[in-house]
Amino acid sequence: MSRELLYLLIPLSCLAAALVAGFLGLRIGRVNAHRAAIGGVGLAFVLSCVVAWDVFSGNHFNGAVYTWAISGETHFDIGFLIDPLSAVMMVIVTFVSLMVHIYTIGYMAEDPGYTRFFSYIALFTFAMLMLVMSNNFLQLFFGWEAVGLVSYLLIGFWYERDSAIRANMKAFLVNRVGDFGFILGIGAVLALFGSLDYQSVFDAAPAVADRTAQGPFGSEWHWLTLICLLLFVGAMGKSAQVPLHVWLPDSMEGPTPISALIHAATMVTAGIFLVARMSPLFELSSTALSVVLIVGALTALLMAFVALVQTDIKRVVAYSTLSQLGYMTVALGASAYSVAIFHLATHAFFKALLFLAAGSVIIAMHHEQDMRRMGGLRKVMPVTYLTCVIGSLALAGIPPFAGFFSKDAIIEAVHYSATPGAEFAYAAVLIGVVLTAFYSFRLVFMTFHGEGRMDSTTREHLHESPKVVTVPLIALAVPSVLAGLLFVNVTMDGSLFGNSIVPGGAPEALDMTARGMLVHAPFAAPFWLAILGIAGAWVCYLWKPELPGKVVKQWGGIYRVLDKKYGFDEFYQRVFADGARGLGEVLSEWGDRRLIDGWLVNGAARVVARTASVVRHVQSGLVYHYAFVMIIGLVALMSWFLFR
């Protein structure tokens, strides 16, 4: 089998699985439908591992497999760039997707849209694979928009719910804002470089680094800064960075398996992957890097605070995703692109684990999601409890779990960064360590410890989830423990990603090896900040459970601000949604009804009618009247010729 055929088979196996489950699901039955979907994604995972092995053996590929269109000298191709960055992403996407597919068998067992859901998630995987495997901006945009489309379908999967419809519409509209900047950035790339091929653009970028474009009010913009900022707007939408973050928490309206897939390995990581892939461009613009750094720091800090007050178990994990995406973005702004992808990889495992563990709890609680009605579940759900603790330890950055290595690498990279805004970002990520540990173990303690706060009926029927749910939890728990330990050395010395990412951002003052980081951890601030956060959660929710209520009463104003999520939703609703609706009503009333219908259409009709009512009197039917008019006309004509 040729390499081109092998690469093509990976996304197409997911597409075929989606088509079989979607169009033939009702005919072949539920079991065969999920077998087809899992088989297609499983094949994609196995082949992705084969490709990764081949790539890390030194075999890379960059070429077109199909020419879609030609315009002048510009070729619009479908092609693949298979290098260490894309190989890592392919393995992560297919592995997490495979676990989600298996988990779905148990979670969606009683849902009437069972086969439809399998079709959607397989299609989602196909779209993400096309995105990460692309070697040009055209295919990148295709995968980018396909991911957005399928996310719309999945978030609104339970379309009978008004809340689901509002959530998927919000996700669709907010992402369109980001995608508008993204498509403008692609247009700017084509205008400046005359090509959409990654390698051609990267090779030509240093030669045009100082080229400027005329901006508004006589200002000058560096072309590369403009391109990077526009592309980053697209990344802000997909990776839910402030202020385009509002769609991600509402995506919890979709079933839990898709929450895990969206938040861990697919859609939200697309923006991080984009900036890392475009690192040769971003490295030529310090302004763009500074914007990326500050936006990431704001997201990491602000969303961590919001996670502290959430009571819905899925929303706690959702705001955790927002904060961790901020950490990845901070790493990108600090030029630590490999560290950002490293955290993306470790985060994919433990965040998918936390979402699926939350889903296991929801199953046991008969779809109750409020943590205030849980408690004491560790005795009846030991596997879910243990895996959730592992995911929380990884999220909090406790050594030797995976999140410790990637998060500490980000903190050190920011600490030694020279990018403007690095001081603020460093403070933000350090504060974020405390908050992350606190809300992570707040979830653990409220859900699994203490006395049960559920009703008696629910308490009597509590039990551990079936193996089809717990096996994916165990499978995700393993890399949540080991992934950081295994890959930190090759990530930090640059051998993992090689030339696929611009090197930079790794601090030289610290021994950035697994052994060095473990030895250094007890003497570093992040470790003790994480311990402080866990201890704080223990005090507030186990030792003195009345304390959070007192804090809320004492600091009610701050609590309301956090509970309202800083008012972003209300602001967008009143300014943009209500503003657009009000503008539409004005245009409908004054533009359509009064101007077009009233003045133009009906007005024209009234002018014609009134003119006709006057002119019709000329038609008397008497011959001498017509003769008289002709004589007057003749006299007037002759007078004009004689006296002009």
Side-chain angles (χ1 to χ4, degrees), residues 592-612:
D592 187 26
R593 296 178 185 176
R594 300 197 180 191
L595 178 60
I596 297 175
D597 288 343
W599 295 354
L600 297 179
V601 178
N602 296 335
R606 284 193 295 269
V607 168
V608 171
R610 291 174 182 175
T611 304

Side-chain angles (χ1 to χ4, degrees), residues 159-448:
Y159 53 82
E160 301 90 351
R161 301 179 183 177
D162 290 339
S163 57
I165 297 301
R166 288 194 295 270
N168 72 353
M169 185 58 67
K170 179 188 279 189
F172 184 83
L173 292 176
V174 173
N175 274 277
R176 295 293 71 73
V177 174
D179 292 352
F180 181 68
F182 185 57
I183 193 65
L184 288 178
I186 294 176
V189 168
L190 184 59
L192 180 61
F193 297 100
S195 174
L196 293 176
D197 180 74
Y198 290 164
Q199 199 58 53
S200 300
V201 172
F202 297 159
D203 292 342
V208 299
D210 297 325
R211 190 173 297 183
T212 59
Q214 193 67 34
F217 310 108
S219 61
E220 286 191 344
W221 288 72
H222 281 88
W223 265 105
L224 286 182
T225 297
L226 180 62
I227 288 171
C228 290
L229 290 177
L230 289 171
L231 293 176
F232 183 61
V233 170
M236 288 172 63
K238 277 289 186 290
S239 292
Q241 298 295 289
V242 172
L244 300 181
H245 68 284
V246 294
W247 68 270
L248 192 61
D250 286 2
S251 69
M252 297 297 99
E253 290 294 334
T256 296
I258 195 53
S259 299
L261 197 55
I262 287 178
H263 288 242
T266 53
M267 187 171 173
V268 296
T269 63
I272 308 301
F273 168 81
L274 169 68
V275 178
R277 176 61 82 194
M278 300 299 134
S279 57
L281 301 182
F282 279 84
E283 278 300 291
L284 298 173
S285 175
S286 60
T287 302
L289 286 177
S290 184
V291 171
V292 172
L293 183 71
I294 293 171
V295 169
L298 286 172
T299 305
L301 183 61
L302 295 179
M303 298 302 108
F305 275 113
V306 177
L308 297 177
V309 302
Q310 299 300 307
T311 56
D312 185 306
I313 188 171
K314 287 176 65 177
R315 286 187 176 265
V316 175
V317 186
Y319 278 100
S320 165
T321 299
L322 286 170
S323 182
Q324 295 305 305
L325 288 169
Y327 273 84
M328 300 174 207
T329 306
V330 165
L332 296 171
S335 297
Y337 304 102
S338 58
V339 174
I341 299 299
F342 182 34
H343 194 54
L344 183 155
T346 60
H347 175 264
F349 299 128
F350 63 72
K351 187 52 57 71
L353 172 61
L354 287 173
F355 265 113
L356 298 188
S360 179
V361 171
I362 292 169
I363 294 172
M365 293 291 298
H366 300 285
H367 296 279
E368 175 62 65
Q369 297 182 194
D370 194 332
M371 296 187 299
R372 293 170 297 183
R373 299 189 180 97
M374 299 178 186
L377 296 180
R378 63 189 177 98
K379 296 179 181 179
V380 292
M381 304 183 72
V383 176
T384 301
Y385 169 67
L386 180 61
T387 53
C388 186
V389 169
I390 290 172
S392 298
L393 288 169
L395 176 59
I398 301 298
F401 296 90
F404 160 74
F405 297 97
S406 55
K407 184 180 287 188
D408 270 31
I410 291 173
I411 294 170
E412 291 300 318
V414 176
H415 180 56
Y416 291 94
S417 174
T419 304
E423 295 83 1
F424 166 70
Y426 183 62
V429 294
L430 281 180
I431 297 171
V433 171
V434 182
L435 301 177
T436 301
F438 185 91
Y439 66 64
S440 299
F441 279 85
R442 172 178 176 263
L443 183 151
V444 172
F445 295 147
M446 288 186 69
T447 304
F448 296 100

